[in-house]
Amino acid sequence: MLGRSLTTVLIVPTGIGCAVGGYAGDALPLARAIASVSDRLITHPNVMNGASLYWPLSNVAYVEGYALDRFAAGDWQLQPVHRNRIGLLLDAAIEPELRIRHQQVAEAAQATLGLAVTAAVITDAPLGVTLRQADSGSTWGTIDRPDSLLRAAEQLLKAGCEAIAVIARFPDDPGAIALQEYRQGQGVDPLAGAEAVISHLIVREFQVPCAHAPALQPLPLDAGISPRSAAEELGHTFLPCVLAGLSRAPRYCSASELVADALRPESVDVVVAPESAIGGPGILHWAARGIPILAVAENQSTLDLRPADLGVPVQRVQTHLEAVGWLAAYRAGLDPAALSPGDRRLSYLNHAVQQAMSG
């Protein structure tokens, strides 16, 4: 018997301190679980990236956040690939020794994983990354020279690269309270908001897969690091997961193009997201189309965008385990509500009939 395959979208916004997905790859177990009960999972680098750790999943589409919003809006579709030729874009502000560490990661990815990292370029000016934190605790950032970033990206694309890994030099501040809290599994990732700004610029300008890895000096050893942030303590760079993700990230093409096997916006069946962060543009687009939105109550964040306040209809689930069970039932063709106790009687649309039967 033939049936429709289940395509799930998992969104965990970056830079808002989500209880799951706010740290170094701590949403990866969730992605693996959802991928196991879905035919296809579409998600973004914040979910899949774990610095030196990653987990390849053949049915997962690794889609940058801005591109995911354009996909949800119906503007873009996702074209599966066998592989991408990846270009390495390095900030001119990176010190020579730190740059060589990142170069070695790229060369190791070619030799050990067989990835096609085919060219590298250094920006013609330091990018000038600045980190910011809002009163809510959410993080964001700016770069002084977006023009230099875009010129370097254009060089890589002219050289035949199909996806871009950006390594920008981020400020070192090991004594910062926000960083100390993050290393202890509290607070908000101080780098995440600025990282999103960098990848958004390239994807918006060139419509190609892109992800970012910050360049930082190694932090002093701390035996009490939280397991949720420990992946970022394992080496000199966060680049391995980015290269692994970009190697088979789908390419972006206009929704008007006829592309064989492309994932189109209408392919999406269910969206999973934190209940406190339902207000993102992608989620709003899918909700407007009547796509079921599973709002996970336990995944709290610094935001408080409640679905009821925004007028967004959702299916509220308490835990991610409940969300996985809901998806498994939905994929099996069941009404997920049938797995909960309750006396659900048929309701007639003819009010007179309903009143006669109840009276």
Side-chain angles (χ1 to χ4, degrees), residues 3-357:
R4 178 183 169 100
S5 60
L6 179 65
T7 299
T8 305
V9 173
L10 172 61
I11 296 178
V12 185
T14 191
I16 61 170
C18 288
V20 175
Y23 298 87
D26 66 313
L28 257 173
L30 172 61
R32 292 180 62 192
I34 291 179
S36 74
V37 295
S38 304
D39 295 290
R40 294 175 297 210
L41 172 62
I42 302 170
T43 191
H44 52 108
N46 181 56
V47 170
M48 301 301 295
N49 287 355
S52 297
L53 303 179
Y54 54 90
W55 195 274
L57 294 165
S58 60
N59 64 333
V60 172
Y62 181 91
V63 181
E64 194 275 340
Y66 177 82
L68 196 55
D69 288 342
R70 294 293 301 270
F71 174 68
D75 300 328
W76 291 359
Q77 54 187 331
L78 307 176
Q79 179 183 2
V81 300
H82 291 111
R83 65 156 197 179
N84 286 316
R85 293 187 292 272
I86 304 171
L88 208 62
L89 193 161
L90 295 137
D91 186 352
I94 301 173
E95 300 88 337
E97 181 177 330
L98 194 54
R99 175 176 54 79
I100 291 171
R101 293 290 188 186
H102 287 85
Q103 176 184 320
Q104 289 173 336
V105 171
E107 291 169 347
Q110 295 178 84
T112 304
L113 303 180
L115 305 188
V117 187
T118 57
V121 66
I122 299 173
T123 60
D124 54 25
L127 295 179
V129 176
T130 303
L131 305 180
R132 298 280 187 265
Q133 189 162 21
D135 292 340
S136 66
S138 301
T139 60
W140 57 286
T142 60
I143 60 171
D144 294 338
R145 295 298 302 271
D147 58 319
S148 182
L149 176 74
L150 296 178
R151 282 193 296 271
E154 189 171 21
Q155 281 184 268
L156 290 170
L157 296 176
K158 287 181 177 178
C161 297
E162 297 154 323
I164 297 176
V166 181
I167 303 96
R169 184 66 168 94
F170 271 47
D172 292 308
D173 190 3
I177 293 175
L179 178 57
Q180 292 175 15
E181 290 178 343
Y182 175 74
R183 295 180 83 193
Q184 297 304 319
Q186 305 167 22
V188 179
D189 183 348
L191 311 180
E195 291 191 90
V197 168
I198 291 169
S199 63
H200 288 1
L201 278 171
I202 290 178
V203 174
R204 185 178 65 188
E205 183 71 19
F206 299 111
Q207 198 171 322
V208 295
C210 177
H212 177 266
L216 293 159
Q217 293 295 342
L219 292 167
L221 179 65
D222 182 345
I225 288 297
S226 167
R228 295 200 290 176
S229 7
E232 294 179 350
E233 307 279 334
L234 302 181
H236 296 275
T237 167
F238 304 162
L239 185 57
C241 62
V242 168
L243 297 178
L246 289 175
S247 66
R248 299 195 72 179
R251 297 175 197 157
Y252 314 138
C253 48
S254 169
S256 61
E257 297 180 50
L258 295 176
V259 180
D261 300 324
L263 286 174
R264 299 184 59 82
E266 56 268 26
S267 303
V268 172
D269 296 296
V270 184
V271 178
V272 181
E275 183 184 32
S276 63
I278 289 295
I283 295 173
L284 296 180
H285 282 302
W286 277 306
R289 294 183 182 192
I291 302 299
I293 311 294
L294 294 190
V296 183
E298 73 174 355
N299 201 1
Q300 295 298 306
S301 71
T302 60
L303 299 183
D304 193 21
L305 300 174
R306 300 294 167 180
D309 298 335
L310 297 170
V312 179
V314 300
Q315 173 69 48
R316 188 176 189 268
V317 294
Q318 189 62 38
T319 68
H320 286 116
L321 278 175
E322 186 181 348
V324 171
W326 195 100
L327 290 167
Y330 192 79
R331 186 189 190 194
L334 303 173
D335 178 357
L339 302 184
S340 299
D343 185 6
R344 297 182 302 131
R345 297 181 182 275
L346 191 63
S347 175
Y348 282 85
L349 298 178
N350 311 73
H351 296 300
V353 173
Q354 183 72 38
Q355 289 175 354
M357 293 185 65

